[in-house]
Amino acid sequence: MAVELAKETIWYDKWRVEDAEKTYYENKAKGGAGLSSLAIQIAKARQDIKNSLQGSSSGSQGSGVVSSDVLNRITKLEDENSSFRKTISTLEQQVIDLTKRLAAMECGGSTTTTKATPSKAPQPVQEEDEDDDDVDLFGSDDEEEDAEAARLREQRLKEYAEKKAKKPGPIAKSSVLLDCKPWDDETDMKVMEDEIRKIEMDGLVWGAAKLNPLAYGIQKLSILCTVVDEMVSIDDLSEKITELEDYVQSVDIAAFNKI
């Protein structure tokens, strides 16, 4: 039976060769490496099959041996092809895993933020007296003093002295209590107070007032005022009050205090 099958020209295992050839060209199109030897073996197998088919028509016994050898080699090629497929699949999976790891590392590196060290707040600059700005009272020990430097220093000393002289000092004020005496008990003390308060001078501020008994039913007006010493003279103020002849007989200083 085997001899009869060997003499037949039917190619029963053609699909195996076609699958191997298809796999070869697919791997070649994908740029697979290490398949050159497989391609050579497939080409040789095809040639052997052709030779086997041609020799089968002559009915020789050796053709059957060739066909069996070809089948064994094709089986071996299929096994190797399957092994290559598994290896390629494993490599592809490793490449995918490496790509994912690299992407994760890049994402992790980009999201990592470093804490910025807080910058120290600038120290407040101590304000200096504006009157002392640009005033150098002492010359440099390292530079030789010449005529120009001496003149400049003298000029700055003079300007400094002028600034100090123009700088206003504390304003001196005084609190004065005045006793204003009327002519008699018929003097309208309310009107007299109103007339006195009408007196205005720069640096003069009127304060509280009250009536105090003087003698024989006559009352005097004790009125308080605050004056700037450099602007108001108490003598001048007393004179202005006594000019109210219809109401005021005399003015006395009851109390005088510096503020």
Side-chain angles (χ1 to χ4, degrees), residues 10-99:
I10 300 173
W11 189 2
Y12 292 100
D13 296 326
K14 182 180 179 181
W15 62 274
R16 297 179 182 274
V17 178
E18 290 178 350
D19 288 345
E21 185 177 5
K22 182 180 179 181
T23 302
Y24 162 72
Y25 285 111
E26 286 179 354
N27 292 332
K28 184 176 181 181
K30 293 180 180 179
L35 298 179
S36 59
S37 60
L38 180 61
I40 294 173
Q41 293 179 12
I42 291 174
K44 187 176 180 181
R46 292 181 65 184
Q47 186 64 34
D48 292 339
I49 291 170
K50 288 182 181 180
N51 296 334
S52 176
L53 291 175
Q54 291 176 0
S56 61
S57 60
S58 62
S60 62
Q61 185 68 25
S63 61
V65 176
V66 174
S67 298
S68 177
D69 181 66
V70 169
L71 292 176
N72 293 332
R73 293 178 65 180
I74 290 175
T75 303
K76 183 178 179 181
L77 290 175
E78 287 178 351
D79 294 337
E80 290 179 357
N81 186 28
S82 177
S83 177
F84 276 120
R85 286 185 179 181
K86 291 180 180 179
T87 302
I88 293 173
S89 177
T90 303
L91 291 175
E92 288 178 351
Q93 186 62 38
Q94 290 179 355
V95 171
I96 293 173
D97 294 339
L98 288 174
T99 303

Side-chain angles (χ1 to χ4, degrees), residues 122-133:
Q123 297 295 332
V125 180
Q126 183 177 3
E127 297 182 356
E128 298 180 355
D129 189 353
E130 60 180 1
D131 294 333
D132 296 335
D133 291 344

Side-chain angles (χ1 to χ4, degrees), residues 22-23 108-109 124 128 148 178 186 194 205:
K22 182 180 179 181
T23 302
E128 298 180 355
E148 182 65 20
L178 299 175
E186 295 181 357
D194 293 340
V205 178

Side-chain angles (χ1 to χ4, degrees), residues 247-258:
Y247 303 98
V248 181
Q249 177 186 1
S250 62
V251 178
D252 296 328
I253 299 175
F256 185 92
N257 296 316
K258 290 285 185 181

Side-chain angles (χ1 to χ4, degrees), residues 99-235:
T99 303
K100 291 181 179 179
R101 290 181 63 185
L102 288 175
M105 291 176 65
E106 290 177 356
C107 293
S110 61
T111 56
T112 302
T113 57
T114 57
K115 296 182 179 180
T117 56
S119 57
K120 294 183 179 180
Q123 297 295 332
V125 180
Q126 183 177 3
E127 297 182 356
E128 298 180 355
D129 189 353
E130 60 180 1
D131 294 333
D132 296 335
D133 291 344
D134 300 332
V135 178
D136 186 8
L137 299 181
F138 303 98
S140 176
D141 296 335
D142 299 332
E143 298 180 359
E144 183 179 359
E145 180 176 308
D146 53 7
E148 182 65 20
R151 184 189 65 79
L152 183 61
R153 185 176 62 182
E154 292 296 331
Q155 182 180 356
R156 289 184 176 180
L157 287 172
K158 183 178 179 181
E159 292 175 356
Y160 177 74
E162 290 177 355
K163 287 182 180 181
K164 287 297 183 182
K166 292 180 181 179
K167 186 175 181 180
I171 300 175
K173 295 182 180 180
S174 301
S175 177
V176 184
L177 180 63
L178 299 175
D179 285 341
C180 302
K181 299 176 183 179
W183 289 102
D184 50 32
D185 58 349
E186 295 181 357
T187 302
D188 191 338
M189 302 301 291
K190 178 60 177 174
V191 175
M192 185 176 75
E193 179 182 353
D194 293 340
E195 293 296 325
I196 291 174
R197 289 184 181 277
K198 290 179 181 180
I199 299 174
E200 296 180 355
M201 299 176 65
D202 292 337
L204 170 64
V205 178
W206 292 107
K210 68 176 182 177
L211 297 177
N212 293 318
L214 183 61
Y216 304 105
I218 301 174
Q219 292 183 324
K220 62 179 179 180
L221 176 66
S222 297
I223 186 169
L224 187 66
C225 64
T226 302
V227 298
V228 178
D229 296 344
E230 294 184 356
M231 301 175 66
V232 179
S233 173
I234 300 301
D235 294 337

